[in-house]
Amino acid sequence: TMEHYDVIIIGAGAAGLMCAAETGKRGRRVLLLDKADKIGKKILISGGGRCNFTNLNTNPAAYLSHNPHFCKSALARYAPQDFLNLMRKHGLSWHEKTLGQLFCDQKAPAIVAMLWEECAQAGVVLRLNTEVDTIIRREAASFHLQTGSCTLACTALVIATGGPSIPRMGATDFGIRLARQFGLKSVPFSPALVPFTFTQDVLDGLFAGLAGVSTEVAVSCGEGHFREYMLFTHRGLSGPAMLQVSSYWHKGETLEINLLPDRDALEWLSVMQQQRPKTELKTLLAEALPNRLAQRLCETLLPNRPMGQYGGKQLQAISQQLQAWQLTPAGTEGMRTAEVSLGGVDTRELSSKTLEARKVQGLYFIGETVDVTGWLGGYNFQWAWASGWCAGQYA
Ligand code: FAD
């Protein structure tokens, strides 16, 4: 049998749901396909079930891409306020946690229900548990999809299959493979927003006994600079500061961590040397850092003495260690736990306004499948909404 639709969207995640609703509102006959047994799985697990659905500070600088300009158009046309208006319409409310991060008071399932309601009202047909075996382009703006016993035909095909992070949820690199089939370039996917691992030497030495300790730091790696919490784990370093900077890290590179981001360490230590010469360094550090971390640093990296006994050069070296601590991760936890993936379909292949492939009329790519990756804090969903909304105006 052959079924005809105007538009078929593969992937009923954040971007696909938004795109389906918008496309349907234009009176197009839309089929939304997903191989999973329910829609919006990553929305449901996001933000610990509360869904950090956008960020008030959304701006192009919060996104990584080989073309940093590409995301500008979509982000400008569909802003966080537009999503908030949609939530208001559905009676949903939200609260800001930190740094512009908005969470849904009614939790993640309410966001999924809202998006599905928009789709249903727009007449979108949903088919779950459906994997596409082959896709053939018959001619310009005519695609045939083979799924089991059924052939589906459409004039516009939207790929919204996300990225390969968290493979146990069924995430794959389908988007990139499909792009390749149509002769479009892509940037290989790699894990981002992911905890760092360290060698056993470091875990048993420098980091021994620190698992669970958390402290606010300023961390830098390459172009990435973040000021947030860092968490020691049994396998290395995590917490928002480390997840953020992981998107900028390449194997072999060193992180620079400022453990005292609020003070000038040298000035502070010099004043303390004058005022409290008998106080030991570890006692003093415990006033500015978690106690266990202060102790551990003074057992490993730093010579522990009464403050009065340090020379000027030593104080300088200690300050340097505290404010520009150099740490080289062994690796990351990889796709298994990565919150998103870097890479995706090369933005040069796509129109930034419509998200349509320049060389393949009627073929669109949206969401995480595109080489646009946001920071932690709601930026990735905002890209999914914005790119889905834009494609939905044209598909
Ligand atoms: P997805 O939402 O992943 O949707 C892709 C859909 O395509 C899925 O339904 C999948 O089943 C389907 N699919 C895949 N391959 C096929 C195929 N071959 N055939 C048919 N269907 C297919 N971002 C934030 O902004 N805020 C957060 O709080 C946040 N928390 C997160 C927490 C976790 C644990 C994870 C893993 C991610 C989180 N993210 C968060 C990132 C965010 O979930 C993604 O960036 C976003 O979901 C991407 O949207 P998408 O529509 O492109 O892809």
Side-chain angles (χ1 to χ4, degrees):
T1 56
M2 169 95 101
E3 294 175 35
H4 290 268
Y5 293 89
D6 294 325
V7 184
I8 296 180
I9 298 169
I10 307 184
L17 284 163
M18 175 61 85
C19 184
E22 286 302 313
T23 313
K25 282 180 203 167
R26 288 171 36 243
R28 306 276 275 155
R29 241 174 84 70
V30 181
L31 175 68
L32 181 58
L33 282 186
D34 205 297
K35 66 177 179 141
D37 59 358
K38 59 180 175 190
I39 60 173
K41 275 184 157 181
K42 277 192 184 167
I43 303 176
L44 293 173
I45 60 162
S46 67
R50 292 194 156 266
C51 189
N52 178 195
F53 60 88
T54 194
N55 195 296
L56 291 174
N57 304 322
T58 294
N59 75 95
Y63 294 86
L64 291 86
S65 170
H66 282 77
N67 175 4
H69 302 293
F70 183 81
C71 63
K72 288 181 178 173
S73 171
L75 293 175
R77 292 175 71 203
Y78 192 86
Q81 285 302 329
D82 295 306
F83 198 80
L84 295 183
N85 287 337
L86 183 63
M87 288 180 65
R88 276 191 200 97
K89 181 179 141 194
H90 288 259
L92 300 185
S93 54
W94 56 86
H95 59 279
E96 181 177 345
K97 266 206 185 143
T98 50
L99 306 165
Q101 301 173 4
L102 299 190
F103 288 76
C104 179
D105 292 336
Q106 290 78 13
K107 310 221 175 129
I111 300 270
V112 176
M114 170 183 84
L115 292 166
W116 175 246
E117 210 175 303
E118 289 285 308
C119 286
Q121 274 172 19
V124 172
V125 178
L126 174 67
R127 197 166 300 168
L128 295 171
N129 302 304
T130 303
E131 202 143 358
V132 177
D133 302 322
T134 54
I135 298 178
I136 300 166
R137 189 174 185 231
R138 312 297 295 187
E139 58 210 67
S142 167
F143 300 88
H144 281 191
L145 284 64
Q146 195 64 43
T147 74
S149 57
C150 183
T151 304
L152 303 165
C154 59
T155 52
L157 178 62
V158 182
I159 308 304
T161 50
S165 70
I166 324 269
R168 77 185 143 76
M169 286 185 61
T172 64
D173 63 351
F174 181 86
I176 278 187
R177 280 186 276 130
L178 193 84
R180 192 181 306 140
Q181 180 194 326
F182 284 99
L184 308 178
K185 291 196 185 67
S186 52
V187 179
F189 282 126
S190 62
L193 300 181
V194 63
F196 288 114
T197 56
F198 283 82
T199 59
Q200 205 58 43
D201 278 10
V202 177
L203 296 175
D204 295 341
L206 196 51
F207 289 6
L210 291 180
V213 170
S214 154
T215 188
E216 195 176 349
V217 300
V219 60
S220 298
C221 183
E223 303 276 287
H225 308 281
F226 296 94
R227 161 114 191 218
E228 285 191 64
Y229 278 85
M230 164 175 101
L231 172 71
F232 290 87
T233 70
H234 289 288
R235 296 172 53 85
L237 290 174
S238 187
M242 294 300 125
L243 298 181
Q244 294 281 36
V245 87
S246 74
S247 301
Y248 292 84
W249 180 82
H250 305 94
K251 199 161 174 73
E253 288 178 358
T254 296
L255 309 177
E256 184 171 304
I257 299 172
N258 182 351
L259 291 169
L260 298 171
D262 280 324
R263 26 185 130 205
D264 179 327
L266 184 57
E267 193 183 298
W268 177 56
L269 293 176
S270 306
V271 171
M272 288 301 116
Q273 188 170 48
Q274 296 298 313
Q275 294 179 354
R276 298 160 65 184
K278 297 210 167 72
T279 304
E280 285 187 10
L281 177 65
K282 67 177 181 189
T283 309
L284 199 58
L285 283 184
E287 293 169 16
L289 292 172
N291 188 36
R292 269 200 278 163
L293 177 58
Q295 301 299 318
R296 195 67 198 138
L297 288 172
C298 290
E299 287 160 8
T300 52
L301 284 185
L302 309 173
N304 184 54
R305 276 180 225 147
M307 289 305 292
Q309 293 184 15
Y310 294 110
K313 280 231 170 75
Q314 278 174 310
L315 275 196
Q316 242 171 28
I318 292 167
S319 308
Q320 177 76 11
Q321 284 280 19
L322 292 168
Q323 301 215 275
W325 191 19
Q326 310 283 316
L327 275 176
T328 309
T332 72
E333 294 282 0
M335 288 298 182
R336 192 175 60 83
T337 57
E339 191 166 307
V340 281
S341 38
L342 286 167
V345 177
D346 192 323
T347 56
R348 282 171 299 186
E349 304 282 14
L350 307 175
S351 152
S352 63
K353 187 177 173 203
T354 66
L355 285 303
E356 186 177 14
R358 294 182 190 284
K359 288 184 263 188
V360 187
Q361 194 195 335
L363 181 64
Y364 296 76
F365 292 87
I366 57 176
E368 202 178 319
T369 290
V370 180
D371 175 30
V372 173
T373 306
W375 287 350
L376 184 76
Y379 297 99
N380 284 298
F381 279 135
Q382 188 58 37
W383 169 247
W385 315 139
S387 58
W389 186 89
C390 286
Q393 311 309 309
Y394 303 95

